[in-house]
Amino acid sequence: MDGKSISPMLVIALALSAAIAVWGIADPQGLGRIAASAVATQFNSRGWFIMLEVSGLLFIVLYLALSRFGDIRLGPDTAEPEFSTSAWIAMLFAAGMGVGLLFYGAAEPLTHYEVLRQYNSDAEAASYAMFVTYLNWGFHAWAIYGIVGLVIAYFAYRRNRTLLLSAPITDTLGEAGWTKALGWVFDLLSIVAIAVGLAGSMAMGVFQIQTGLAGLLGIQSPSVLTLPVFAALCIAFIIPLRRDLGDGMARLSNAAMLIAVGMMVYLLVLGPTSYLMDGIVSGFGRYLFGVLPAGFSTAEFFDDLLVDWFHGWTLNYMIWWLAWSPFVGIFIARISRGRTIREFLIGVVVTPTLFSVLWFGVFGGLGFFDALRQDGALSAVNAENLDATTFALLERFPLDGITRTATILAAFLFVVTSVVSAGFTLAMIGSGGDDNPSRRIRTVWGIILGALGLAMILVGDIALVRSIIALSAITFVFIVPILVVCLLKSLNREDQS
């Protein structure tokens, strides 16, 4: 590593991330249990605060988009967007979704359905399950991304600061010793959250890819493919981290998104189209008119089964989005210079939410069609192995060999492009905002991310992996409100000047 790029933050961040990786590899179940226990304690005591915060962020999005501040540009008043609106929106899709959509498309709605049918009729349970899925992946998730991305973009391009979480602190509160220290801590915590969150998604991708490959190759035990799949992913992301590929990664990410969209349209056309569209239209209507009050739900008076379900899914998702918010926020900020705040928030929050509604409406709707109108075999597969649900669904359609192969390819590409982007982002933050961090530092981060991914894979339980991610990002519950205060304070100053 060149001396210019080495900093105390880089050394500490690498050491912390490596320590978590070593712990996870040496004692994966121990790490998972401790994380699950700590997160359960936090959720039991602060679940109300998490839901209050993410709902507050959604209201702030509405306020900024509709207020006079919506006309402010992310850059000088004469700045123009670097990318066309269509290209910008396409990149937004790939930024915060990726492999999670492929993994949970049918699996999550069916999981919620099996819990909720214990309290409701099957039809009502399906309706509520889709609503909860939209809640977990919709406006609240993208409001978190949108606000963090807006804070980063505003201070980077309007206030001429760096693309770091420390920039709002020092710009708004001054260059005092304590503000620099606080900003330094924010940057360090963002590195850990990005690294662990990305590793969790890597593990999820490996689980799905190995299950899909095992089905295609007729292998009874998918676990025999774990190490080969993991090794192939590592080779695939280390190579581009060693090179300056420019738009190459964006093209691969867009290719993965095109595969996913093509598959969604294919299933919609060949499936029970009217049934699916009925579900999408009515489900979106229920979500649109129920999303604001639902954002304040805390499962307060229900039994332990529902409380655990709420904590394990909705609360965990909100923390997961917070964990990814520095990474996605920096990416969104970098492609949004020249946009107005109103354009930015509508594009970032509304458009991906509408896509999520369509995606889960198709995949989840097919799951419900099987559960309510057919033999319920998908629910049985889902109860046994979430990794296999998407592939079991695809087997019911023509050309399933092609669609399953396409799913595997899309998952592989999503994981590779996410790791490469995260490696660049982590190197940039650790190097004090350097837009072109050294190749060696990027490679080291690639190795660390691979080790963290291996640790998550060895944990072997998606629920425990989600707990580890949640623990790494729990501090962002307190960091994000501070960033929002800095943004509002700076906007008011600008308005008064």
Side-chain angles (χ1 to χ4, degrees):
M1 298 181 197
D2 56 283
K4 176 184 175 182
S5 298
I6 296 176
S7 67
M9 176 180 293
L10 179 63
V11 173
I12 294 173
L14 287 168
L16 276 175
S17 302
I20 296 171
V22 170
W23 182 9
I25 293 171
D27 185 17
Q29 293 304 311
L31 174 60
R33 284 194 302 270
I34 290 174
S37 176
V39 169
T41 300
Q42 294 294 322
F43 283 177
N44 285 329
S45 62
R46 296 185 178 88
W48 61 272
F49 183 77
I50 295 169
M51 295 308 296
L52 185 65
E53 177 180 328
V54 296
S55 294
L57 293 178
L58 183 55
F59 277 102
I60 290 171
V61 165
L62 290 171
Y63 166 69
L64 290 176
L66 298 175
S67 72
R68 63 189 183 279
F69 298 126
D71 295 323
I72 294 176
R73 288 200 176 273
L74 300 175
D77 290 336
T78 57
E80 294 293 332
E82 181 179 356
F83 302 98
S84 68
T85 300
S86 59
W88 179 62
I89 290 175
M91 286 186 281
L92 291 178
F93 281 143
M97 295 180 176
V99 74
L101 287 176
L102 298 173
F103 191 96
Y104 285 114
E108 180 172 338
L110 283 174
T111 301
H112 298 329
Y113 167 75
E114 290 299 329
V115 173
L116 294 171
R117 68 189 300 216
Q118 301 178 48
Y119 301 86
N120 305 275
S121 70
D122 286 355
E124 289 175 327
S127 176
Y128 292 147
M130 189 62 78
F131 179 88
V132 172
T133 304
Y134 289 163
L135 177 67
N136 293 345
W137 287 80
F139 289 124
H140 288 84
W142 286 94
I144 294 170
Y145 285 164
I147 284 294
V148 174
L150 177 61
V151 170
I152 294 170
Y154 175 82
F155 283 96
Y157 301 128
R158 188 76 177 181
R159 302 288 300 166
N160 296 314
R161 294 284 183 158
T162 60
L163 288 163
L164 301 177
L165 293 188
S166 56
I169 304 299
T170 53
D171 185 81
T172 306
L173 303 178
E175 296 276 355
W178 71 272
T179 59
K180 292 180 180 179
L182 184 63
W184 189 91
V185 170
F186 281 14
D187 289 339
L188 178 64
L189 292 173
S190 71
I191 289 176
V192 175
I194 291 171
V196 175
L198 193 283
S201 289
M202 189 190 308
M204 190 163 56
V206 168
F207 293 151
Q208 187 166 48
I209 292 168
Q210 72 182 27
T211 300
L213 280 175
L216 285 175
L217 301 176
I219 297 174
Q220 294 299 315
S221 177
S223 60
V224 302
L225 296 174
T226 302
L227 289 180
V229 169
F230 174 72
L233 281 170
C234 289
I235 293 171
F237 68 69
I238 286 293
I239 291 174
L241 278 173
R242 294 285 300 167
R243 290 171 168 78
D244 298 320
L245 295 185
D247 294 333
M249 286 296 102
R251 285 196 291 269
L252 290 178
S253 183
N254 289 337
M257 203 67 208
L258 285 174
I259 293 172
V261 171
M263 188 163 56
M264 179 183 71
V265 173
Y266 177 78
L267 296 178
L268 177 62
V269 173
L270 267 67
T273 307
S274 295
Y275 182 92
L276 296 177
M277 290 307 302
D278 284 344
I280 290 170
V281 171
S282 58
F284 179 62
R286 281 189 293 271
Y287 173 64
L288 190 62
F289 289 98
V291 61
L292 293 180
F296 295 93
S297 299
T298 58
E300 69 281 18
F301 301 127
F302 294 94
D303 58 25
D304 289 343
L305 174 63
L306 270 181
V307 170
D308 290 344
W309 164 76
F310 174 74
H311 287 181
W313 286 94
T314 299
L315 274 184
N316 210 299
Y317 264 123
M318 298 308 153
I319 296 295
W320 194 339
W321 306 136
L322 285 167
W324 273 68
S325 64
F327 168 44
V328 178
I330 289 173
F331 174 81
I332 293 173
R334 291 181 70 173
I335 64 173
S336 300
R337 187 179 188 276
R339 302 267 168 198
T340 66
I341 288 178
R342 184 174 297 110
E343 284 179 299
F344 178 92
L345 292 175
I346 291 174
V348 171
V349 178
V350 176
T351 308
T353 295
L354 294 178
F355 182 83
S356 295
V357 166
L358 289 173
W359 180 270
F360 286 104
V362 171
F363 280 81
L366 288 170
F368 294 146
F369 185 81
D370 176 75
L372 299 173
R373 302 284 182 90
Q374 296 180 322
D375 57 6
L378 282 179
S379 292
V381 171
N382 193 62
E384 183 177 344
N385 183 7
L386 290 177
D387 311 341
T389 305
T390 298
F391 297 108
L393 186 155
L394 294 174
E395 287 174 5
R396 295 172 170 240
F397 286 82
L399 306 176
D400 63 292
I402 294 176
T403 56
R404 286 187 289 162
T405 301
T407 300
I408 294 168
L409 177 61
F412 191 92
L413 292 176
F414 275 134
V415 173
V416 169
T417 54
S418 293
V419 175
V420 172
S421 299
F424 272 87
T425 301
L426 292 169
M428 184 199 75
I429 299 173
S431 303
D434 185 355
D435 286 336
N436 187 29
S438 76
R439 187 174 300 174
R440 290 183 181 179
I441 292 177
R442 300 195 310 253
T443 305
V444 169
W445 272 117
I447 295 170
I448 296 293
L449 289 172
L452 281 168
L454 179 60
M456 298 289 188
I457 291 166
L458 293 176
V459 169
D461 185 328
I462 285 295
L464 292 180
V465 168
R466 289 159 64 96
S467 293
I468 296 170
I469 295 172
L471 183 61
S472 74
I474 203 74
T475 53
F476 278 84
V477 174
F478 309 101
I479 290 174
V480 171
I482 296 173
L483 298 178
V484 172
V485 169
C486 290
L487 174 65
L488 295 177
K489 191 177 181 69
S490 187
L491 287 171
N492 278 315
R493 282 179 182 171
E494 178 173 342
D495 186 54
Q496 293 167 8
S497 62

